[in-house]
């Protein structure tokens, strides 16, 4: 999937939990905004934006059930289960969070400009010497305005190693 934001670098490998598996395209002298995707997805999952998505999905599901459309209800349920699995991989395994960042794509230029970086990358990518990194995790978390519980969980996960 092509990113909606030109500064967002999508890492080619879906599993980035082992730094030796995922390598940045940055070169010496680049300024890169780095983020812990685990914190970003936790912030999103504890935000009003995600709540709105869940309410819409529940309404679709209830409508399908009320109409007796079992196939549609099962498809919606499968979509929710798939999203839950995706969140688990993102929050606990370090999988990419590009789909979550697309939710705030219109705000990413401002984050990059504010800290003077050329693009964004996951923190757990291997980079060559001479690449300057600026941690933008907190700024990205703030874009989702998570509840206090979500903020605590996002902060907590940042102190843990990637699996």
């Amino acid at each position: 999937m092509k990113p909606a934001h030109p500064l967002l670098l999508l890492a080619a490998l879906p599993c980035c939990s082992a730094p030796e598996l995922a390598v940045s395209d940055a070169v010496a002298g680049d300024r890169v905004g780095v983020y812990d995707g685990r914190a970003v997805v936790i912030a999103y999952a504890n935000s009003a934006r995600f709540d709105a998505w869940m309410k819409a999905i529940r309404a679709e599901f209830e409508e399908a059930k009320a109409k007796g459309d079992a196939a549609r209800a099962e498809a919606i349920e499968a979509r929710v289960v798939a999203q839950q699995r995706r969140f688990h991989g993102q929050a606990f395994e370090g999988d990419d969070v590009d789909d979550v960042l697309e939710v705030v794509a219109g705000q990413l230029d401002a984050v990059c400009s504010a800290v003077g970086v050329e693009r964004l990358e996951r923190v757990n990518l291997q980079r060559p010497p001479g690449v300057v990194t600026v941690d933008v995790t907190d700024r990205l978390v703030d874009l989702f305005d998570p509840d206090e519980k979500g903020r605590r969980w996002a902060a907590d996960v940042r102190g843990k190693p990637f699996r």
Side-chain angles (χ1 to χ4, degrees), residues 70-126:
R72 184 169 165 235
E74 287 175 20
I76 294 166
E77 188 172 0
R79 198 164 87 197
V80 170
V81 168
Q83 182 61 59
Q84 184 178 14
R85 284 189 186 124
R86 178 100 172 112
F87 276 166
H88 187 272
Q90 292 169 319
F92 300 109
E93 303 297 329
D95 290 355
D96 76 73
V97 296
D98 300 327
D99 58 325
V100 173
L101 289 176
E102 285 181 16
V103 173
V104 293
Q107 298 170 281
L108 297 179
D109 278 336
V111 170
C112 290
S113 292
V115 296
V117 298
E118 298 151 13
R119 66 176 181 224
L120 302 176
E121 294 182 343
R122 294 186 310 264
V123 71
N124 58 329
L125 296 181
Q126 186 176 31

Side-chain angles (χ1 to χ4, degrees), residues 1-11 98-99 101-102 105 108 120:
M1 172 169 23
K2 192 157 172 100
H5 185 273
L7 295 177
L8 181 63
L9 172 70
L10 299 178
D98 300 327
D99 58 325
L101 289 176
E102 285 181 16
L108 297 179
L120 302 176

Side-chain angles (χ1 to χ4, degrees), residues 7-76:
L7 295 177
L8 181 63
L9 172 70
L10 299 178
L13 299 173
C15 180
C16 64
S17 58
E20 65 274 10
L21 295 178
V23 180
S24 167
D25 288 334
V27 295
D30 283 353
R31 277 184 60 87
V32 177
V34 297
Y35 61 88
D36 188 328
R38 300 170 304 173
V40 172
V41 77
I42 288 169
Y44 173 58
N46 288 278
S47 72
R49 289 175 187 204
F50 182 70
D51 283 345
W53 181 81
M54 280 300 297
K55 285 178 184 170
I57 292 293
R58 276 190 209 110
E60 274 185 63
F61 180 75
E62 293 302 324
E63 179 184 338
K65 278 178 48 178
K67 290 182 177 180
D69 190 344
R72 184 169 165 235
E74 287 175 20
I76 294 166

